Every structure is written in C-alpha cells, then in structure tokens.
C-alpha cells in the first residue's frame, strides 16, 4: 500500500457506527454503482470501436466524486474534470448524454467537436470541463465570488488531480478564495499517478492537504475509497462555506484502478501496488458494508443492477440513433462571429 494510505481518516467500517442514514447510504450506493456501470459499458463500446476519441474513466474515484457531489444542492456549482463521472451522475446528467458525447453526436455540450467528458449545464450547475488542467479553478472561484457578492449562499466545488496541483492556477485560486473568504471547496483527487508520474515525483510534502495551512484555510485528509468518509467531510466543508466561513481544501486519497486513458495499460504501476488498492475498490467495499449492515438485501441489489443495465442499454441505443452534427454545426463556437 502507498505511504499515502489514509486509513486513519476513514469512517468506521460498520455503517451503523458512522451516523449516516440508510437513505443517504443507499443513495451513495446507487450513484456509485450507476457511475461504475456507465463507465464499464463505455470501456466495452470503446473496445468495439463505437466511441470516438480517447476514453478516460474514473474507476477507483467513484467514492470521491459521488460522496462529494451528493452534498451539493440545487443552485450550487460543480466543476468536475476527467475523473468526474460520479459528479455528472449526481447532478443529473443522463447516461444517454454521456454516450452521445463520447460518440460526438449533435445536440451535446461539445456539439460533436470532442468525444470526452466535456458536458456542462447551467441548469444542473455543472461546468463543462476545460482540458487545460487547473483552468477550471479560476471560473469556479469566480462562481463562489458571485455567490458572495449576491448573497446567494451557493457553494462552488471544484476538483483536480494530484498532478494538476503543480499548476499555478491552483495557488492563485486557493489564495484568492482564502483572502476573500469565499464559499469554495477544492477536492484534490490524489489517485497516486498523474498519467505515468508517481506522487513522489510530483510533490515532496507528506500530504497535499498540508498546503491548506499556507493559504490559511482548513484542510481535510480523507480516505477517498470510503464514500461515507468523503460525504461527511464534504458536508462539513459545505456547511462552513454556506455559513460564510470560507473555503476548504480536501485531499481524498485513492488509486486510479485503470490506465490514464483506455489506451494506456498502466504498465508503469507496480503490480503489488495495484493489487493492494484493488482490494479497496470503493464500489465493492461499499456494497460489502451495506450488506453487512443489512441495508442492501441481495434481491434489492439484483433488482437495482438489472434496472441500471436496462437504463444503459436504452442510453446506448438512444445515443447511437442520435444524429451526427452537420458540417456547418462543427464550426459553431470555434471562432468569434
Ligand atoms: C496544463 C496541462 N498539462 C498537461 C495536460 C495533459 N494531461 C491531461 S490529464 C494529465 C494527468 C493529470 O494527472 P492528475 O492531475 O494527477 O489527474 P488524474 O488524471 O491522475 O486523475 C495530463 C498530464 C493537460 N490536459 N493540461
């Protein structure tokens, strides 16, 4: 296991001891399982050559994206990146829109110009990802500033990986958010590798969250494989933000359980490291805890899995039946009119 293993900041293994309600726990489960299944099907479609472009999945990051996004409300803003499928699902993005985007269809946020997770919606409060790492942070801090100026009490939650913390926007955004006491939450998804760069070649502090002190804001280190722990840490951060107490930096430690993209076999990851983290698969682990608590009977689980499979079948069909963009449509939004 990595030296960054944060088991000291996990929630108790028994769900009944965590204080989470059955309703919230089952909601976490449903979104995590949906996220995982949407991505598993995407991998199959990619291998069959039915998707266009590269495919980046978030397998191993579901507890972070779902656990955090579930603490947001209508009117809040989320700025997820390429590991943010769980955020998209929680904020109401439909699997059909995901597949249509991957298939570069017309009518999607990217309008067929790109086949990755560039999905945004003002009504759902989701910023469409900007590929340049770190570039999402200033607009997300801007949303938090707008909230403060207008007194809306909404919160902006942004995400980035361990690698992207080396970008200047990281510093500028956190400093500004701290100085102006903005309702901003930044979640570092520390999944050990930035493409092939291991964490020890990326940063030399013990934990990335230690940097919070330098900005004068609270920092929370959390087990990013534990959905309940992430949920509860984010609930505290969101409450602080809404009360006008300013930003929080959260480091959620997990492991990218696949390559950087589906074109990458992750051969550079030591086998024993991958095996150790695979035993902490966030979705499987959560199901085990739910079953142990008696909160997820086998029949209910099977029923839910079947309904997700049906939803995904219909979504793929829907996406494949949707039109490709017209040639003139592909130029729209590229140059100023
Ligand atoms: C400014 C910038 N540099 C490089 C890239 C290419 N790139 C895309 S994702 C990625 C790895 C990012 O690693 P990390 O931030 O740790 O996130 P992870 O993919 O591990 O979740 C790189 C190098 C980019 N998109 N933007």
């Amino acid at each position: 296991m990595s030296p960054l293993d944060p088991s000291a900041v996990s929630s108790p293994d028994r769900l009944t001891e965590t204080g989470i309600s059955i309703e919230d726990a089952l909601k976490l489960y449903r979104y995590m399982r949906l996220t995982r299944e949407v991505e598993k099907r995407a991998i199959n479609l990619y291998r069959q050559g039915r998707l266009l472009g590269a495919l980046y999945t978030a397998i191993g990051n579901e507890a972070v994206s779902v656990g955090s996004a579930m603490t947001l409300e209508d009117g809040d803003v989320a700025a997820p990146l390429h590991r943010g499928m769980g955020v998209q699902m929680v904020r109401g993005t439909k699997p059909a829109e995901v597949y249509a985007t991957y298939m570069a269809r017309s009518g999607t946020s990217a309008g067929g110009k790109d086949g990755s997770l560039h999905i945004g919606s003002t009504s759902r409060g989701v910023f469409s990802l900007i590929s340049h790492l770190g570039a999402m942070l200033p607009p997300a801090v801007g949303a938090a500033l707008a909230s403060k100026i207008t007194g809306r009490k909404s919160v902006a939650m942004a995400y980035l990986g361990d690698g992207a913390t080396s970008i200047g926007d990281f510093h500028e955004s956190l400093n500004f958010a701290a100085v102006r006491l903005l309702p901003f939450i930044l979640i570092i998804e520390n999944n050990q590798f930035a493409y092939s760069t291991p964490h020890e070649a990326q940063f030399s502090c013990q934990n990335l969250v230690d940097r919070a002190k330098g900005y004068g804001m609270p920092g929370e280190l959390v087990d990013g494989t534990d959905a309940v722990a992430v949920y509860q840490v984010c609930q505290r951060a969101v409450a602080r933000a809404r009360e006008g107490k300013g930003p929080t930096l959260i480091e959620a430690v997990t492991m990218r359980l696949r390559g950087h993209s589906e074109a990458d076999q992750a051969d550079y990851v030591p086998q024993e490291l991958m095996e150790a983290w695979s035993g902490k698969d966030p979705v499987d682990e959560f199901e085990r805890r739910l079953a142990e608590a008696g909160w997820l009977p086998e029949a209910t689980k099977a029923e839910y899995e079947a309904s997700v499979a049906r939803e995904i079948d219909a979504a793929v069909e829907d996406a494949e039946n949707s039109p490709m963009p017209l040639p003139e449509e592909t130029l729209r939004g590229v140059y100023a009119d």
Side-chain angles (χ1 to χ4, degrees):
M1 194 66 66
S2 149
L4 291 171
D5 173 22
S7 42
V9 278
S10 303
S11 59
D13 190 59
R14 280 178 189 279
L15 287 177
T16 45
E17 290 170 18
T18 63
I20 194 164
S21 68
I22 299 186
E23 292 72 29
D24 285 352
L26 289 176
K27 204 169 158 191
L28 281 172
Y29 155 69
R30 283 195 295 268
Y31 279 122
M32 282 204 289
R33 180 46 73 197
L34 175 66
T35 302
R36 174 66 62 90
E37 296 306 318
V38 165
E39 296 207 312
K40 273 167 61 185
R41 183 68 65 89
I43 293 170
N44 285 346
L45 294 167
Y46 175 84
R47 290 189 178 158
Q48 292 164 4
R50 289 157 75 187
L51 304 186
L52 301 173
L55 177 65
Y56 306 89
T57 66
I59 293 181
N61 286 52
E62 296 91 342
V64 183
S65 55
V66 170
S68 57
M70 253 183 55
T71 63
L72 296 177
E73 294 176 0
D74 286 351
D76 291 337
V77 158
L81 281 175
H82 53 297
R83 310 291 176 206
M85 182 66 83
V87 180
Q88 295 280 358
M89 293 297 107
V90 173
R91 299 298 286 172
T93 306
K94 295 286 171 231
E97 187 177 351
V98 171
Y99 295 127
T101 302
Y102 286 162
M103 294 174 190
R105 302 299 161 133
S106 177
T108 54
S109 300
K113 293 184 200 62
D114 187 275
S116 297
L117 212 62
H118 294 270
I119 299 177
S121 159
T122 41
S123 61
R124 296 195 294 262
V126 179
F127 282 10
S128 176
L129 87 83
I130 304 173
S131 295
H132 307 84
L133 298 173
M136 297 287 283
L137 300 186
V141 170
L145 178 62
S147 165
K148 182 158 184 171
I149 290 171
T150 57
R152 272 201 298 263
K153 294 205 178 303
S154 59
V155 166
M157 189 176 270
Y159 299 79
L160 87 174
D162 39 294
T165 59
S166 301
I167 294 273
D169 280 331
F170 174 82
H171 165 71
E172 291 157 31
S173 301
L174 286 182
N175 187 57
F176 188 79
V179 167
R180 302 289 285 261
L181 220 61
L182 300 183
F184 177 67
I185 296 154
L186 179 57
I187 300 181
I188 303 172
E189 300 193 59
N190 180 355
N191 60 5
Q192 316 291 327
F193 284 83
Y195 209 134
S196 55
T197 305
H199 62 77
E200 61 272 19
Q202 190 69 244
F203 56 92
S204 60
C205 45
Q206 173 75 32
N207 293 110
L208 284 163
V209 75
D210 297 343
R211 295 182 183 176
K213 199 168 189 304
Y215 295 109
M217 65 171 69
E220 302 248 27
L221 178 67
V222 64
D223 180 347
T225 67
D226 179 345
V228 177
V230 173
Y231 181 59
Q232 292 178 334
V233 156
C234 290
Q235 276 184 317
R236 286 202 292 275
V238 166
R240 267 199 301 271
R242 276 199 222 291
E243 286 162 18
K245 294 183 178 158
T248 304
L249 179 65
I250 296 171
E251 177 184 0
V253 183
T254 184
M255 174 71 179
R256 199 190 66 206
L257 294 177
R258 297 193 69 83
H260 172 66
S261 75
E262 284 305 304
D264 165 25
Q265 300 299 307
D267 297 331
Y268 45 82
V269 177
Q271 204 180 337
E272 59 281 11
L273 185 67
M274 189 62 103
E275 277 166 12
W277 281 94
S278 297
K280 277 170 72 72
D281 180 308
V283 185
D284 295 350
E285 267 297 283
F286 197 55
E287 284 181 2
R288 179 191 60 74
R289 292 165 78 192
L290 281 168
E292 191 187 73
W295 292 357
L296 184 61
E298 201 46 54
T300 312
K301 182 167 170 264
E303 211 175 286
Y304 181 66
E305 284 172 3
S307 84
V308 166
R310 282 194 300 274
E311 183 181 0
I312 290 177
D313 286 342
V316 172
E317 197 181 327
D318 194 4
E320 287 191 318
N321 287 335
S322 61
M324 295 298 276
L326 296 168
E328 56 271 27
E329 208 185 313
T330 59
L331 287 178
R332 205 168 294 149
V334 176
Y335 300 106
D337 291 328

